[in-house]
Amino acid sequence: MTFVRIGGVPHHIRVEGTGPACLLSVGLGMAWFDWDPVVPLLAPYRTIVRFDRPGLGLSGHARAWPTLTGEAERIARVLDAAGVGTPATVVGHSLAGFHCEAFARLYPERTAGLVLVDTAVEENPRPRAAPALRDAATRACGTLLAGAGLPRAVGPLLRRTAVRAGRRGGGDPAPAGLVRRAYSTSRFLRAVLAENARYRDQAVELASLRQWLPLDARVTVLAAHTGGSRRWLERQERLAERLGGTFRVSAPAGHLVMLDRPRDVAGAVLDTGTSPPLADEDEGRAREA
């Protein structure tokens, strides 16, 4: 574990394993430890970089509103700080799929592959109305809720509830101490509100990047499927076609694929290179961890 300053904010970074570089980026409101089941499967073949965005996990308070180009630059600076070689395979879950695709387009020489894990999809995003007013409302909401002590009172409980809802089955495997440390703070609350408020802005930014910057990296889109409606799978498959990538389905799995089907995630990453296939015992060790 290490902390480095990026843009004046202390960022929590973890580097593990050996081999070509692989960066794992979590979705909205999540922390580095949400990739724990995947790490043992990748560590023999990849140098794994995990990090927390400002306000999340163990990283410091955010100093600015999140932007797509800013998040792509953050990935580049995290890789620099980790001291790993590039090009790297970048793996983005949910909202972080936007960030990783932007990185692949803006830094093609640093990208070996792109894996999108049940990624956010917005086909025709439109700019927000009255962005300044919405930002002010988000800031005021964060101040009010933090002042009322909401993060300490219910932050860990909301985390546990969200994880159960995002899985096909099972609870939250994260240690209670880490959950309290990461989810009982006002910095976490403010970061989640800010990322949620700027979601559409980042989708609009990505739509613009797609018009003028090509995507040269190998792409895999890994979608979760619980056996219900196919609408989500169809949207993910169309995204894979648009990006010229491979489409895979992880089933049965909830949105938190890395917890439900870590072997599927690791397999998608390893297939961007020449690493040997995973053995069944590797998945067993990951689940035990």
Side-chain angles (χ1 to χ4, degrees), residues 28 30 76 85 96 100 123 168 173 192 216 230 237 239 262 268 281 283:
L28 189 151
M30 302 179 70
C100 290
E123 289 84 359
R168 177 64 171 80
V192 169
D216 297 326
R230 286 193 51 85
E237 187 171 15
L239 175 65
E281 57 267 22
E283 182 180 9

Side-chain angles (χ1 to χ4, degrees), residues 59-126:
S59 289
H61 287 275
R63 293 192 172 189
W65 291 96
T67 66
L68 188 69
T69 54
E71 295 305 328
E73 181 183 0
R74 190 186 317 282
I75 290 173
R77 296 185 66 178
V78 165
L79 288 171
D80 290 340
V84 299
T86 54
T89 300
V90 288
V91 184
H93 170 254
S94 195
L95 170 64
F98 286 172
H99 307 160
C100 290
E101 183 184 338
F103 173 84
R105 291 180 184 276
L106 290 166
Y107 301 88
E109 73 287 353
R110 304 193 65 177
T111 307
L114 171 65
V115 179
L116 304 176
V117 181
D118 216 45
T119 186
V121 179
E122 294 295 336
E123 289 84 359
N124 298 293
R126 297 181 179 181

Side-chain angles (χ1 to χ4, degrees), residues 154-167 172 256:
V154 299
L157 175 62
L158 292 177
R159 147 78 194 197
R160 299 291 193 192
T161 302
V163 169
R164 284 195 297 271
R167 297 194 62 184
D172 186 354
L256 301 181

